[in-house]
Amino acid sequence: MTQLSVLDLSPIVQGGDASQSFAASLELARHAERLGYRRYWMAEHHNMPGIASAATAVALAHIGGGTSTIRIGSGGIMLPNHAPLMVAEQFGTLAALYPGRVDLGLGRAPGTDQLTAQALRRHLSGGADSFPQDVVELLHYFQPAKPGQAVRAVPGAGAEVEVWILGSSTFGAQLAAMLGLPYAFASHFAPADLDPALAFYRQRFQPSERLARPYVMCGVTAIAADTDQEARRLFSSLQQSFVALRTGHPGPLPPPVDDMDSRLDGAAKHMLSQALAFAAVGSPATVQASLASLIARTGADELMVTSSIFDQAARLRSYEIVMRAGEALALAA
């Protein structure tokens, strides 16, 4: 069975606030744990009025304290924004609090606009260009400390943290293959290079102490409901949010609308068709068919499911339908 996991941006809905978002995220994490999802990841974004998970490690501590078995992690931490030592300390702390449950997905984008990236006050050198070196430095801090080692991650040294490389191009695939790390592709919003990236990763993979063979996770937007019509209506919240973001007007997640197609011009329709090409939107049967198609195309070991839905009850129901679809695919295999 292809494993299923959850990516939650802890969306702030119109009329809501971050406190409500974190309460909803914990409810979703507990729901996902009961359903059998393997991981629950949150992502670092900044200056995004509709995303509450900027302080990702802090948010994950909240989730870890309210769950007991599901793995918690980042999808991802944007490493150019941070000193590797600080990331090692943060996720070493999480690993001390929740042993055997912590993942660290690393990305090289800033997760924000250029002005906000400057406001994050990382040193002027480095950034995305030093991403490979920063990853190697970070991995070093997770190794057991050696006698006389001048700089240690405390907590962090010797911590059991599963490290992933995230990407939407062949760059991340090359790095993950070279370092022998699992690789997660952002096919839920940037699927253009999916096929070449996965092919490169698998062909060039070098076994490491952390991973013996290639392991691929693919992101997928999944909006499931009892009918195709209702799922498409729920999907309109994400569509509106995407258009607002890509046109420079990000905001809270809006409520769904019934006439989304009539609100989109040609350019917006094209953008959405490209960015959300692999979205699984529909009834249980429709979503099952979409997931089966993506698995057949990619051979993914795991799918990371993200569902930005305005109504919390509908979001919980969507994740239930998706898990049932995954179970049905496993039985049919």
Side-chain angles (χ1 to χ4, degrees):
M1 174 182 176
T2 299
Q3 297 283 333
L4 296 179
S5 293
V6 175
L7 173 62
D8 177 25
L9 302 184
S10 199
I12 301 174
V13 302
Q14 281 186 11
D17 58 30
S19 294
Q20 294 169 340
S21 296
F22 292 133
S25 287
L26 181 55
E27 183 182 26
L28 173 60
R30 289 170 169 165
H31 183 64
E33 185 173 74
R34 288 192 295 268
L35 289 171
Y37 282 89
R38 186 176 187 181
R39 312 173 199 272
Y40 181 94
W41 282 10
M42 305 182 86
E44 175 188 351
H45 293 80
H46 300 280
N47 197 28
M48 297 284 190
I51 298 176
S53 54
T56 313
V58 178
L60 288 171
H62 168 63
I63 299 301
T67 55
S68 57
T69 59
I70 195 168
R71 296 187 67 90
I72 58 172
S74 61
I77 290 294
M78 302 297 108
L79 197 50
N81 299 336
H82 310 280
L85 176 60
M86 293 188 67
V87 177
E89 291 171 343
Q90 290 169 3
F91 279 77
T93 299
L94 288 171
L97 290 169
Y98 312 113
R101 296 177 56 197
V102 177
D103 303 328
L104 172 56
L106 299 170
R108 72 181 182 117
T112 188
D113 58 272
Q114 186 174 358
L115 187 62
T116 306
Q118 294 173 352
L120 290 168
R121 295 192 174 94
R122 179 78 199 269
H123 57 74
L124 296 179
S125 63
D129 292 338
S130 66
F131 181 67
Q133 294 87 348
D134 287 345
V135 172
V136 171
E137 180 183 345
L138 177 52
L139 291 173
H140 169 73
Y141 289 130
F142 284 135
Q143 294 175 354
K146 298 178 180 179
Q149 183 173 327
V151 180
R152 305 182 182 188
V154 183
E160 184 184 344
V161 176
E162 190 171 295
V163 180
W164 290 67
I165 299 296
L166 314 183
S168 59
S169 70
T170 56
F171 182 94
Q174 294 178 55
L175 184 61
M178 180 179 68
L179 297 177
L181 296 175
Y183 180 55
F185 190 89
S187 39
H188 58 297
F189 74 90
D193 289 335
L194 173 63
D195 296 327
L198 297 192
F200 191 101
Y201 170 68
R202 288 175 171 134
Q203 291 167 5
R204 303 293 183 90
F205 181 84
Q206 298 294 316
S208 70
E209 292 182 357
R210 286 182 169 269
L211 191 64
R213 59 184 61 86
Y215 192 95
V216 167
M217 182 194 305
C218 291
V220 57
T221 292
I223 309 292
D226 292 329
T227 66
D228 287 340
Q229 181 179 4
E230 176 59 14
R232 287 194 296 268
R233 190 183 75 86
L234 296 174
F235 185 44
S236 67
S237 292
L238 179 60
Q239 291 175 305
Q240 293 174 76
S241 183
F242 253 90
V243 171
L245 177 63
R246 296 294 176 90
T247 56
H249 301 92
L253 186 69
V257 295
D258 293 319
D259 57 343
M260 190 62 202
D261 283 347
S262 66
R263 297 173 179 235
L264 298 172
D265 59 24
K269 288 181 180 179
H270 178 73
M271 180 274 292
L272 290 173
S273 70
Q274 297 295 310
L276 301 173
F278 295 127
V281 180
S283 65
T286 300
V287 167
Q288 182 174 326
S290 295
L291 296 183
S293 177
L294 182 59
I295 293 169
R297 175 171 178 161
T298 63
D301 301 286
E302 195 165 339
L303 297 181
M304 177 66 72
V305 180
T306 182
S307 303
S308 292
I309 296 175
F310 182 84
D311 179 74
Q312 176 72 351
R315 184 162 68 140
L316 298 178
R317 172 63 175 151
S318 179
Y319 274 104
E320 180 180 352
I321 292 172
V322 170
M323 177 52 75
R324 300 295 173 247
E327 292 170 344
L329 290 175
L331 290 174

